[in-house]
Amino acid sequence: MASNEKDLLGTEKIGTLLRQFAVPSIIAMVVSALYNMVDQFFIGRSIGILGNAATNVAFPLTIICTSISLLCGVGGAANFNLAMGRRDPEKARRFIGTAVAMLVTFGVVLCVGVRLFLRPLMLAFGADQDTLAYSLTYTGITSFGFPFLILTTGGTNLIRADGSPRYSMLCNLTGAVINTILDPVLMFGFDMGMAGAAIATVAGQVVSGCMVAGYLTRFRTVPLRLGDIRLSPQYCAKVASLGMAPFFNQMAMMVVQVVLNNTLTYYGGQSVYGSSIPLACAGIISKVSMIFFSLVIGLAQGLQPICSYNYGAQNYARVRETYVKAVMVGTAISTVAFLCFQLFPRQIIAIFGTGSEEYFRFAENYFRIYLFFTSLNAFQPITANFFTSIGKASRGIFMSLTRQILFLLPMIVILPIFFGIDGVMYAAPVADGIAATLAILFARAEFRRLRQLEQTREESAEKVITA
């Protein structure tokens, strides 16, 4: 990108910039979530409850891929934009090259690790005798796509930072379209069942990954040379530092998902629902809610280049304005999601196949109780990404851990002891309420600091003019 185009981050209206960067990012995140939704839809209609439960068992590995992608992608993008804001293109190029090297390395390592320990991983993630075979089939095939999934999800952050949000969106969209087309063809046309769904997923990921790799060979802002793509300890540490907040947020989701799966299996077996119904319902609902969370996370990622560039350029008023507008949009999205989850739970769950009356009753309760404070869920991820984008890695990490690890995980463990399977449902609204409150308090404190920095800068400018 030419320098005058890059300067638009410091001069263009914030609303315009948010639309330019957040909308493609939102679409990309939603499309990424749809990978799992599409599989869930066709598996539910082909195999049924056990197939849906099996994809829920495999879901933590998808979260791990996303966490690695954001560690390298968001960390590389934030450092890149901060360096460009400070007019240091040499460092900016090194950050991009290091991030790409990290994405490729982690992708290959994860693929090999999962292949070696597939069965124990599925058992640890909550598979029982009924779902284990389906889980092994699905994950055994999708693991081959992990390097491409990680490169796509992380690389699209780098592409957005380079000023090409539409192309980043296109990378994800192309893969999702391929997956959607191949799913029914392979599952029903060729009668391949779970294997067909997994092959369709991998095919879409390979195409998306190749599109990202192609773009990186012609990076616009700074020329990216082959020698820049290497693991330099100094740059790896800085990339990881600013990528830790979204990484921990996703890893926290993975830990919660594993504990949740095992808790639902255990306490579900002691209830009238049995172990499979809660596991299947929670799997569907978690993926439906991921569509909403993808909107918010995409919005949070969209503010990153704007906040990073303007913070590096000391335009603190624009940093504050970006955060406020992102939160307003996020709250509106969250409110719409809340109304959908409260008013239409049975209609939503019915999209993914049929089931017993107990199945639908549990799903309705889970939607309405577990997701009761959805309207507050924009504050925590946007605030965590805000701190990351301005280089406050430790605060970003803390904010990313509040909902999942500090509050939700203990509630999932403790409340079912007293309330059985219902205790799982009440854990989420408690965690959501506390996490949102903390996010608001942290953001207000940071705003006071930014105003002081802005006032100091203005006073210094006045002294220079007077002198």
Side-chain angles (χ1 to χ4, degrees):
M1 182 188 294
S3 59
N4 62 327
E5 291 180 278
K6 194 69 181 178
D7 287 339
L8 289 177
L9 288 172
T11 58
E12 183 63 84
K13 291 181 179 179
I14 296 299
T16 302
L17 289 173
L18 271 178
R19 285 193 298 273
Q20 179 183 348
F21 284 91
V23 171
S25 178
I26 287 170
I27 293 174
M29 288 301 299
V30 170
V31 166
S32 179
L34 284 175
Y35 268 111
N36 295 288
M37 284 281 291
V38 169
D39 283 353
Q40 197 89 56
F41 174 82
F42 288 112
I43 287 171
R45 296 189 172 273
S46 171
I47 297 169
I49 291 177
L50 293 180
N52 280 330
T55 60
N56 191 34
V57 171
F59 192 50
L61 286 172
T62 302
I63 299 176
I64 292 175
C65 288
T66 303
S67 67
I68 293 172
S69 303
L70 297 181
L71 172 73
C72 309
V74 171
N79 277 291
F80 169 79
N81 286 125
L82 285 168
M84 291 302 294
R86 294 167 183 150
R87 302 292 194 270
D88 193 345
E90 178 61 30
K91 280 190 175 181
R93 185 176 68 247
R94 291 295 305 276
F95 281 126
I96 292 295
T98 300
V100 172
M102 292 171 70
L103 288 168
V104 173
T105 302
F106 281 129
V108 173
V109 169
L110 181 63
C111 174
V112 173
V114 171
R115 299 295 307 166
L116 291 175
F117 303 102
L118 182 58
R119 185 182 180 88
L121 281 171
M122 294 299 93
L123 292 171
F125 290 166
D128 58 16
Q129 290 183 343
D130 296 326
T131 59
L132 181 59
Y134 291 116
S135 302
L136 291 173
T137 298
Y138 185 78
T139 311
I141 296 173
T142 55
S143 61
F144 288 110
F146 288 168
F148 299 95
L149 174 59
I150 289 172
L151 178 61
T152 298
T153 308
T156 50
N157 284 275
L158 305 179
I159 292 171
R160 279 194 299 273
D162 190 45
S164 300
R166 291 183 180 177
Y167 186 84
S168 72
M169 173 190 68
L170 182 63
C171 293
N172 286 282
L173 187 59
T174 301
V177 170
I178 292 173
N179 182 32
T180 304
I181 293 172
L182 289 181
D183 257 334
V185 171
L186 297 178
M187 293 182 70
F188 300 108
F190 289 88
D191 196 25
M192 297 179 68
M194 291 291 285
I199 292 171
T201 298
V202 172
Q205 291 167 350
V206 169
V207 173
S208 294
C210 290
M211 290 178 66
V212 169
Y215 181 94
L216 293 173
T217 63
R218 47 185 173 82
F219 214 68
R220 298 171 60 193
T221 309
V222 292
L224 188 62
R225 300 185 296 260
L226 186 61
D228 296 322
I229 304 176
R230 65 180 189 271
L231 296 175
S232 169
Q234 175 188 359
Y235 285 89
C236 284
K238 291 182 179 179
V239 168
S241 174
L242 294 188
M244 278 293 178
F247 170 79
F248 278 128
N249 189 47
Q250 291 292 319
M251 288 301 291
M253 289 174 62
M254 187 274 292
V255 172
V256 168
Q257 188 70 44
V258 172
V259 173
L260 182 62
N261 286 350
N262 284 280
T263 302
L264 289 168
T265 300
Y266 179 77
Y267 287 100
Q270 299 178 5
S271 71
V272 296
Y273 304 109
S275 60
S276 295
I277 285 178
L279 195 61
C281 288
I284 293 172
I285 293 169
S286 66
K287 292 179 178 65
V288 170
S289 64
M290 273 302 295
I291 297 294
F292 150 68
F293 280 116
S294 295
L295 296 173
V296 175
I297 293 171
L299 179 63
Q301 290 181 1
L303 69 79
Q304 179 269 311
I306 307 169
C307 285
S308 293
Y309 183 89
N310 283 285
Y311 189 83
Q314 300 183 356
N315 295 328
Y316 303 120
R318 289 175 62 81
V319 174
R320 295 199 313 271
E321 184 183 355
T322 302
Y323 173 85
V324 170
K325 288 190 174 180
V327 165
M328 291 173 63
V329 174
T331 301
I333 294 171
S334 303
T335 302
V336 172
F338 165 79
L339 293 174
C340 291
F341 297 155
Q342 295 298 312
L343 298 177
F344 310 111
R346 181 174 285 253
Q347 291 87 337
I348 295 173
I349 201 73
I351 295 173
F352 301 92
T354 60
S356 63
E357 182 57 33
E358 287 81 7
Y359 170 80
F360 283 104
R361 185 166 65 250
F362 182 85
E364 287 181 349
N365 290 336
Y366 199 93
F367 258 120
R368 288 181 171 139
I369 299 173
Y370 194 83
L371 301 175
F372 183 75
F373 272 160
T374 297
S375 56
L376 300 178
N377 280 348
F379 288 97
Q380 183 256 347
I382 289 176
T383 303
N385 228 45
F386 167 72
F387 281 116
T388 297
S389 67
I390 63 174
K392 303 293 181 180
S394 59
R395 293 186 185 183
I397 292 170
F398 175 76
M399 286 307 309
S400 70
L401 294 177
T402 52
R403 179 185 183 270
Q404 303 286 343
I405 297 297
L406 297 183
F407 307 128
L408 181 57
L409 188 60
M411 292 295 102
I412 289 176
V413 173
I414 294 171
L415 292 183
I417 296 175
F418 302 99
F419 303 106
I421 193 72
D422 291 342
V424 176
M425 304 183 200
Y426 290 103
V430 173
D432 292 341
I434 300 174
T437 302
L438 275 180
I440 293 170
L441 293 176
F442 269 66
R444 289 182 63 183
E446 183 62 26
F447 273 23
R448 287 195 295 269
R449 190 185 74 86
L450 291 177
R451 289 192 187 96
Q452 291 173 356
L453 289 174
E454 189 177 1
Q455 184 177 359
T456 301
R457 185 187 177 195
E458 290 174 353
E459 291 174 352
S460 299
E462 290 177 2
K463 289 180 181 179
V464 171
I465 293 172
T466 302

